[in-house]
């Protein structure tokens, strides 16, 4: 089953959703701005992405620049910050099996699906 962690206000996230719809495979949409990540779920997704927490942060968002830029934060503190401010989470995130991608560009979705 494919899961898309989606922000409907984001153009790139909407493009990712359209790309998934074209695959004609079952999928689940998780609007993480409404249905927030738990700490465990966010850690699981980061592990599937194979990245560090800071790589999932949208560092150009004003909340990051105003409050966290140039600060030394631990991985746990970065995760807590994303939980507090979900708009900081890069999107869309596509999870398929034990792997995941940030679908920027959207072509990364097909690469992920082809792996299986």
């Amino acid at each position: 089953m494919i899961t898309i962690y989606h922000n409907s206000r984001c153009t790139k996230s909407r493009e990712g959703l359209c790309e998934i719809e074209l695959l004609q495979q079952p999928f689940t949409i998780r609007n993480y701005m409404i249905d927030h990540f738990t700490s465990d779920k966010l850690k699981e997704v980061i592990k599937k992405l194979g990245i560090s927490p800071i790589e999932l942060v949208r560092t150009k968002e004003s909340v990051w620049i105003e409050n966290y830029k140039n600060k030394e934060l631990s991985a746990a503190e970065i995760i807590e910050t994303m939980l507090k401010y979900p708009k900081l989470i890069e999107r869309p995130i596509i999870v398929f099996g034990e792997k995941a991608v940030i679908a920027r560009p959207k072509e990364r979705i097909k690469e992920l699906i082809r792996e299986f």
Side-chain angles (χ1 to χ4, degrees):
M1 173 72 77
I2 300 168
T3 301
I4 178 171
Y5 290 91
H6 176 61
N7 178 346
S8 59
R9 298 188 69 189
C10 172
T11 302
K12 296 293 182 186
S13 196
R14 289 192 306 268
E15 287 175 6
L17 179 57
C18 287
E19 195 71 21
I20 287 183
E21 289 170 339
L22 291 173
L23 295 174
Q24 297 184 347
Q25 293 188 28
F27 66 93
T28 301
I29 301 171
R30 180 117 182 260
N31 185 335
Y32 65 88
M33 297 298 289
I34 296 168
D35 182 14
H36 299 290
F37 277 102
T38 64
S39 179
D40 288 342
K41 183 53 83 172
L42 186 54
K43 289 175 188 174
E44 176 186 314
V45 168
I46 291 168
K47 183 178 179 182
K48 288 180 179 188
L49 286 165
I51 62 175
S52 66
I54 191 63
E55 293 175 90
L56 190 56
V57 174
R58 296 173 56 83
T59 58
K60 293 186 174 142
E61 288 286 342
S62 61
V63 69
W64 180 265
I65 293 168
E66 293 166 9
N67 298 294
Y68 303 101
K69 185 178 180 183
N70 299 322
K71 288 189 178 180
E72 287 285 324
L73 299 175
S74 68
E77 290 170 321
I78 293 167
I79 289 169
E80 285 303 313
T81 300
M82 287 188 282
L83 293 171
K84 185 175 180 181
Y85 300 104
K87 74 186 241 173
L88 288 176
I89 299 170
E90 192 63 74
R91 68 254 180 181
I93 302 167
I94 313 304
V95 177
F96 187 59
E98 293 303 311
K99 299 255 184 175
V101 295
I102 300 169
R104 296 174 81 97
K106 65 184 179 183
E107 289 75 23
R108 296 196 71 211
I109 297 169
K110 289 180 183 172
E111 293 169 13
L112 174 67
I113 303 305
R114 265 196 299 258
E115 286 183 25
F116 288 91

